[in-house]
Every structure is written in C-alpha cells, then in structure tokens.
C-alpha cells in the first residue's frame, strides 16, 4: 500500500487487492464464516459466490490458494449465476464487511486509513481497479470506503 498525491494534492492510498500481505486485499489469509461455510479468504468467497452449483462452490472454497480460487471462478460454466453482474459488488461488500467484523484488527486497519481515498491499483481492471489511465471505476476501493464508513457509523453508535 502506498500513498500518492492525486490531482488535488491530496494523498490517495494505492493498493493491490491481490497482494496477500495487504490486510485490506482479497487474498489476505483471514478466514470468516458466511453462507454457512468457512471461507479462507475474501477471494475464495467472491469467486465461490459466482456459482449456483454447490459442488462448484466447494471446489472454489477448497482451493489451495486465492489465486487458484480465482482461476476456478474465471472458468465460465453453466452454473454461473445469471445475476452475477448485478450482485457482484454486494457479494464483495459482504465478504469484506464480515471479514472485518470477524477480525477486529482488519477493521482497525481499514478505519486507520481515515478519510483517504482508497484506490485499487490495477492497470488492467477498469471495473474493480483504476485502470492504466486512472479512469476506471475503482469499485474495490469504493467497497472498502463504504465498509469503512459503515464501521465508523457502528463505532459512533456504540459510543
């Protein structure tokens, strides 16, 4: 994770969601329970939720690494959810949020980013990342910032 100034002179936090050493990434090795199953990483959960077929989901969930889970999730199969494009952001948000609630140190790491804009630094992904020209949707960064806002609201309600 690195801070770089944006066009307005503010510092943005650039990160890679596939970096296993980045606690805010989808490959970080923090398991959590969701959908009645324990998922090794957010990447496993996200890729598994692409499928309606339990056997396919289990293959993804039991993959040795987040990279292998991603590879299995990218295989187009007849059991791919028809509504995947409509629900993928919600699925990612649920995975990140539940992981943060399961591992308070991850919630703290996210809250410690303050109001900094979080950017998924991907040259090739224009949906989840910022893309090569920085004009991508940065949906992953937005998911993290939305979860951060929710955690902040919950903390304020407790105080």
């Amino acid at each position: 994770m690195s801070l770089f100034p944006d066009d307005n002179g503010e510092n943005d936090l650039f990160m890679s969601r596939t970096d296993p050493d980045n606690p805010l990434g989808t490959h970080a090795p923090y398991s959590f329970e969701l959908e009645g199953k324990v998922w090794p990483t957010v990447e496993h959960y996200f890729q598994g939720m692409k499928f309606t077929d339990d056997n396919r989901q289990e293959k993804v969930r039991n993959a040795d690494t987040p990279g292998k889970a991603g590879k299995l999730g990218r295989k187009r199969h007849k059991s791919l959810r028809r509504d995947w494009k409509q629900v993928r952001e919600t699925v990612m948000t649920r995975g990140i949020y539940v992981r943060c609630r399961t591992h308070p140190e991850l919630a703290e790491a996210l809250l410690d980013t303050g109001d900094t804009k979080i950017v998924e630094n991907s040259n090739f992904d224009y949906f989840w990342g910022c893309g090569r020209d920085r004009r991508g949707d940065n949906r992953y960064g937005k998911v993290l910032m939305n979860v951060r806002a929710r955690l902040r609201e919950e903390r304020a309600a407790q105080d």
Side-chain angles (χ1 to χ4, degrees):
M1 295 190 298
S2 304
L3 287 173
F4 293 103
D6 64 12
D7 296 336
N8 302 322
E10 299 289 323
N11 281 331
D12 292 347
L13 178 63
F14 283 84
M15 56 159 291
S16 168
R17 77 176 189 275
T18 59
D19 177 358
D21 296 325
N22 174 2
L24 303 180
T26 61
H27 288 216
Y30 294 92
S31 64
F32 58 95
E33 188 176 335
L34 197 53
E35 311 293 340
K37 300 174 182 175
V38 175
W39 300 91
T41 67
V42 169
E43 189 69 18
H44 284 83
Y45 172 71
F46 177 78
Q47 298 296 340
M49 289 297 100
K50 289 181 175 180
F51 302 103
T52 55
D53 175 15
D54 284 340
N55 291 331
R56 200 104 169 117
Q57 261 188 22
E58 280 302 293
K59 265 189 180 171
V60 173
R61 190 174 74 83
N62 291 315
D64 292 343
T65 67
K68 287 181 183 174
K71 194 172 183 179
L72 288 168
R74 282 189 292 280
K75 286 186 178 177
R76 294 298 172 228
H77 192 266
K78 65 183 179 195
S79 67
L80 184 72
R81 290 173 66 149
R82 292 179 187 269
D83 65 347
W84 181 243
K85 284 195 173 186
Q86 290 78 37
V87 301
R88 61 186 170 177
E89 211 166 332
T90 300
V91 167
M92 183 69 81
T93 301
R94 288 185 73 208
I96 295 294
Y97 175 76
V98 170
R99 183 183 67 177
C100 282
R101 300 299 289 155
T102 304
H103 300 278
E105 67 274 22
L106 298 180
E108 285 304 316
L110 185 53
L111 288 166
D112 286 348
T113 63
D115 291 326
T116 304
K117 180 180 178 184
I118 302 172
V119 180
E120 159 60 3
N121 193 23
S122 172
N123 285 333
F124 306 104
D125 191 333
Y126 280 76
F127 179 78
W128 293 111
C130 64
R132 177 174 282 118
D133 61 5
R134 304 285 186 246
R135 293 183 183 173
D137 287 341
N138 187 38
R139 297 319 240 164
Y140 188 71
K142 290 174 183 173
V143 163
L144 288 173
M145 291 182 286
N146 289 337
V147 170
R148 178 179 66 191
R150 183 171 173 189
L151 293 170
R152 195 177 287 148
E153 287 170 9
E154 289 173 357
R155 179 172 280 177
Q158 287 176 347
D159 293 342

